[in-house]
Every structure is written in structure tokens, then in C-alpha cells.
Amino acid sequence: MKYPIGIQSFEQIIEDGYVYVDKTDLIFNLVHEGKIYFLSRPRRFGKSLLVSTLKNYYLGRKELFNGLKIASLEKDWNVYPVFHVDFNSTNFTEKETLEQKLNFYVTEWELKYGLPDRSGLLGIGDRFVEVLRAAHEQTGLRSVVLIDEYDKPILDVLDVDAFLEDRHRNILKAFYSVFKGADSHLQFVLLTGVTKFSQVSVFSGFNQPKDISMDARYETLCGITQKELETYFQEPVEEMAEIYNCDYNFMLAEMKRQYDGYHFSKKMTDIYNPFSLLNALDSKSIEDYWFKTGTPTYLIRLMNHFNENINELTGKYYRQEEFIDYKADVEMPLPMIYQSGYLTIKGYEEFGNRFLLDFPNNEVKNGFITMIATSYLQPGERITGWVFDVLDAMRAGDIEKLEPLFTSFLSSIPYSMRRKDNEREKERYFHYTFYLIMKLISVYTVYTEKQQSQGRVDCIVETPKYIYIFEFKLDGTAVEAIEQIENKGYAREYILDGRKIFKIGASFSSETGTISDWKFE
């Protein structure tokens, strides 16, 4: 089986015999039920392949769709004028790059339709309107406009160059305004991207597109569903099961934990990250493929000066407007984190029309927490190596090793990172530090601030042979922490569990920034 990893061309996938998960029935519905659309999905989620498929469909390349669902649905196969703008391959951090790229596109289209060069007379948007008018007159058919990663010119300079960010926003706003002036010449328009900007929107110059990002009808338009995984990829999953010395169903469960878990509507259909899934099937190995491709620099930049900690954002319910529109003048990271794919919908509460947001899967959770911990704590130790040392000690039940591991790691955090000016911020830093540390080791079952009948335990870690119950105190004593574990009965739910239980009390010093007292039973 050939996997189209990194291939975004529909025609190449079909012509060269790569596996193609057929979504053309959804595409048929899309093009026949509306006109101007916007779709937001995380990076490497198949947006460019969707655009390429639509391009070939509107170019009437019927032969490419033989055997696909749309072949029995579409009867006409008209050849429309198609205008495809792809911002993926360009770095927009240099001044005038955006203007040059748009000018190149429009000049090429003017030549194709025999129009004179009017760059000195008309703006880029008005020139595009003239192109659309000419294409309509010459072909007798309205035009199709496909814009891939519409927001990249803004994201490339977001929080880096305010002047260029504003300039790009205004240029795109003028360019996209053609969709209002040329409405009678347009058959279909799709803009894809990661973020949906609001208020000072690039969309405000024309009639708002239909946002299908959370439309249940199109939630599976990008990505791979559980049914599609089992239908198209049963054989490679079976091969992976042999390599991992497990049965088929266990292998499916492992793939699900690692790469599934995205939801894009109230319907809550599970969607796999296609890039990671295809890489895993091709390599026959479960690894962090999507995260290895790099974290968007704009997200790291933005989070560096946001006051919210990730534990204060995850596992909570929000109204749709709180995480859908990115408001460039409001310092709130949630919409950007959600739209970038680091959080997803994990539940829907009809009362109040609210959505539960949390990490989609293990790959994203582990990678994102590692990134956040590195940025927030800035430890002198290499995080990955430290994590494996802790995991090895916990797997072996070597309780004696845990104290020096925690102490050395905390001691390596720069004084400037942990210094807080008031008691509330000291407490907040303390809780967030241990939240990040415990999430880093969540290859095991880890519960942070787990609610029980008698109270909320700071952390419980379950390994195959051992259960670790942690209680942390800020400027307190380890004895107080152990007494709380006993008095609150935190170990009670594990009485009938056959695994050995360790109760660990630790005191964290706000002065030294590390463990000052440690006790275990």
C-alpha cells in the first residue's frame, strides 16, 4: 500500500496509485448546497488535498474520479475557470512579499484571458474582478476561487511585526473584497486556514462566507474516521499488531489513544489526525509524527505573554464564541490553541450550548505539555531524559530515586522563572509546576487534582505494579502532606487493588524553588 505522505496533489495520488480515502460524496454535497465557504482545520489535516480535489473536480477531470463516490452523483462535469491561490509555500516575513505573490497570480490570469496590464491604474482587487468578469464572458461559466491557507500571511508575522501584520491584513481584505463586487461572476469559493480572525477581519470587505468548521454535515471532510481506518487500512493495522505482538483490536485501541480524538461538531464524530496516522501505518511504528513537524512559532510567541496557564484552560466548558474567533486585540490564547489543533471538543452540554475542550490524544498532550514545560520552567536539565528516568524509577517501584530526581529537576529551574511577588502567584506557580511535571510522566495513568469523596488529591500515578499517591505542600511539611493522605482516605479506593501503594508527601519551598521535605510510606 502506498501512503500519500506529504502529497497534496489529488491527481498525483490517483495517477500514481496512492491510497485515497474517498470523501467525494461530501464534496458533491458541498458544491451543490452553497457558494462561498470557509473551513478551519489544524495544520497537516488535509486542507490542501481538499482544495486540490475541488480544483480537479471543477476542471472537469472526470477520469480522475472513476470509481469514487462522486462518479455516480455528478452528471455534467463542466469545465469551469478555476483560480487557485496557495499561500503554503511562501514566507511572508519580508516586506512586499505578499504584494508580489498576489501580483504574480493576477498578472498570469490577465495574460490567460487577454487583458492588458493595469497594475498602474487599478488595485490588485479590482484587477482580479476584471479577470473574473473576462473569464465569465469568454467561457460562459462563472468562476471558481480556491484559496489555501488564507491566513498564513498574517500568522507568519503575528506578534512579531505589528506594522507588517496590519499591512497584510489590509492587503488581504482588499483582495478578498472582490467576492462582493464580482458576485455575479462566481460559481464557488472556498477559503481554508487555521484561524478565523474577527473584528478587524480580512472577511469584512465582502459577504461573510459560510463557516463550515463546526458544521456536522462536513465534520469528516478532512481527517480519517474510525470506520475509514478499519475499511481502508485493516491490513496494515494487522501487520502492526504482529510487530507489536498484540491482537488487532488492541492495536486499534493504541492507534486511537495516540492519534484519534478530534471532534469538530456537536455530533462528536471521532476524527484521526491523518498525517500522524498515515506515517504510523507506513513506518509500522507509533511515534509523535505531527508534533515532530514543529510547533507553529506564532503560537509559542503568543503564549509567552499570556497570563493563563494551560491547566486553567483545559477540561472546561466554553461557549462557541469563546474559542472560534481569534480577536487580535484581546490577549486570550484559547481560540488560537483550539484552532491550531492542540485542544479539541471533548463533550457538548446542550444546556447552555457549551463545549468541553481538552487535549485530543496522547501525541498532542505529551508534545504540547513538553513544549509548555520547557518554555515555562526553562529547566537546566533536558526534559525528555529526566522523564524517562522518572518513568524507569516508577516502573521498578524504586521510591528512593524519586526524591533526588524531583529535587534536581526543580533546582535546575532558573530563579527568575520561579520568583513571584505575591502569595497568590507563588501558589499558582507551585501548582502549575507540579501539574506540568506530572503531565510529563503521563505515559502512565496520571490523575492531577483528582476529586474523591473526601477531597481532591494532588496527584495519583498508576503503573502496572504500583500506585503512587502524591500530596504536595507549599512551604509546609512532608508529615502534614502524609497526614492529609491518611485523614482524607485518598488510598481508600485502591484497597482491593492488588498493586502496591506508595503514599508520598512533599514540601516545596518558595524560597529555594525545590523540594525541602520528602516522606513516603
Side-chain angles (χ1 to χ4, degrees), residues 383-403:
I383 283 183
T384 305
W386 178 84
V387 168
F388 279 109
D389 287 342
V390 172
L391 293 177
D392 288 342
M394 285 189 159
R395 183 172 64 246
D398 193 345
I399 194 74
E400 300 283 353
K401 277 189 177 180
L402 288 181
E403 180 185 2

Side-chain angles (χ1 to χ4, degrees), residues 328-378:
D329 61 342
V330 177
E331 291 198 348
M332 175 62 183
L334 186 65
M336 195 69 81
I337 299 172
Y338 166 78
Q339 293 168 22
S340 299
Y342 297 96
L343 296 179
T344 193
I345 297 168
K346 283 297 184 179
Y348 174 67
E349 183 184 73
E350 190 169 350
F351 176 77
N353 189 28
R354 299 191 306 162
F355 296 83
L356 175 66
L357 299 188
D358 214 329
F359 298 112
N361 51 48
N362 282 349
E363 177 187 27
V364 174
K365 179 186 68 176
N366 295 337
F368 192 64
I369 289 293
T370 300
M371 181 200 79
I372 292 295
T374 302
S375 175
Y376 182 80
L377 302 174
Q378 297 184 14

Side-chain angles (χ1 to χ4, degrees), residues 210-271:
K210 168 70 174 176
D211 186 354
I212 57 171
S213 305
M214 291 184 66
D215 191 321
R217 295 172 297 176
Y218 303 112
E219 63 179 349
T220 64
L221 195 55
C222 295
I224 296 174
T225 66
Q226 186 70 37
K227 183 179 180 180
E228 288 167 341
L229 169 61
E230 296 179 34
T231 300
Y232 288 89
F233 304 105
Q234 179 178 344
E235 185 176 332
V237 173
E238 289 174 343
E239 292 172 0
M240 285 188 70
E242 288 186 21
I243 293 171
Y244 279 85
N245 195 29
C246 63
D247 63 29
Y248 175 74
N249 289 329
F250 185 85
M251 195 72 248
L252 279 178
E254 288 297 297
M255 302 283 278
K256 190 176 188 66
R257 275 191 288 270
Q258 188 73 2
Y259 307 123
D260 193 15
Y262 282 97
H263 307 98
F264 298 109
S265 82
K266 300 173 185 177
K267 191 176 176 183
M268 297 292 293
T269 302
D270 278 353
I271 309 291

